Amino acid sequence: MLTISNTVTIDEWELDFSAIRSQGAGGQNVNKVATAIHLRFDIKRSKLPDFYKQRLLNLNDSRITKEGVIVIKSQSHRTQEMNKEDALNRLKELIVNATQVQKARRATKPSKSSQRKRMDSKTKRGQTKVLRKNVKF
């Protein structure tokens, strides 16, 4: 069971794990041992609250298919158990980040003194460049 918050959990039956061979270099062992993990989580079929489902389905994430299935591949560790833990942590992080409401940004204006300082520094820089020009006789 994966705990998302105090009230929200995901049961084992909702998660689908499959072991596959890892990609990349790794010697002879990589060809015979399936240590990488594919984690599949069907958002629509899960018992998550509707708020969580809507937020996840509205995400623009390459790990979420058109059918509403989250697919996470973990192959960074040498053992299947550690890759499984990593995949679960990444799923939890994805769900938690999707449900956090971003604070609304209010547009602000620069202060008068900061505008004045900026213009003064631009004028000073321009004067320095003018002094570098060739002198005509």
Side-chain angles (χ1 to χ4, degrees):
M1 185 163 59
L2 180 65
T3 304
I4 304 300
S5 68
N6 293 338
T7 57
V8 179
T9 58
I10 297 175
D11 291 331
E12 280 290 323
W13 64 267
E14 297 181 86
L15 303 171
D16 180 32
F17 294 99
S18 57
I20 57 171
R21 290 190 198 145
S22 295
Q23 292 179 328
Q28 296 174 4
N29 196 47
V30 75
N31 296 326
K32 59 185 180 182
V33 179
T35 57
I37 292 289
H38 258 170
L39 167 64
R40 293 181 173 277
F41 176 69
D42 192 352
I43 299 169
K44 295 176 182 175
R45 208 182 68 165
S46 71
K47 61 177 185 126
L48 284 175
D50 290 333
F51 171 74
Y52 282 76
K53 288 182 183 181
Q54 285 301 320
R55 294 298 294 248
L56 284 170
L57 292 171
N58 290 338
L59 275 182
N60 187 15
D61 197 314
S62 61
R63 296 173 288 187
I64 302 174
T65 64
K66 292 177 184 175
E67 294 81 30
V69 178
I70 299 175
V71 180
I72 296 177
K73 181 179 182 182
S74 177
Q75 63 179 10
S76 57
H77 301 286
R78 290 180 59 93
T79 63
Q80 207 176 77
E81 293 79 25
M82 291 183 71
N83 282 328
K84 188 175 179 180
E85 282 298 316
D86 182 44
L88 287 171
N89 289 337
R90 286 167 48 194
L91 175 66
K92 180 178 178 177
E93 183 181 323
L94 177 70
I95 294 172
V96 168
N97 288 342
T99 56
Q100 289 177 347
V101 180
Q102 293 290 328
K103 185 178 176 182
R105 184 187 179 280
R106 278 188 285 147
T108 59
K109 289 184 179 179
S111 64
K112 292 280 186 185
S113 64
S114 68
Q115 289 177 352
R116 196 175 315 110
K117 283 180 188 176
R118 179 175 162 271
M119 295 311 293
D120 290 344
S121 69
K122 286 170 72 73
T123 306
K124 187 176 177 183
R125 182 80 176 140
Q127 291 297 326
T128 305
K129 289 185 174 189
V130 166
L131 292 174
R132 287 189 200 143
K133 285 188 175 182
N134 291 339
V135 178
K136 295 183 180 180
F137 292 104

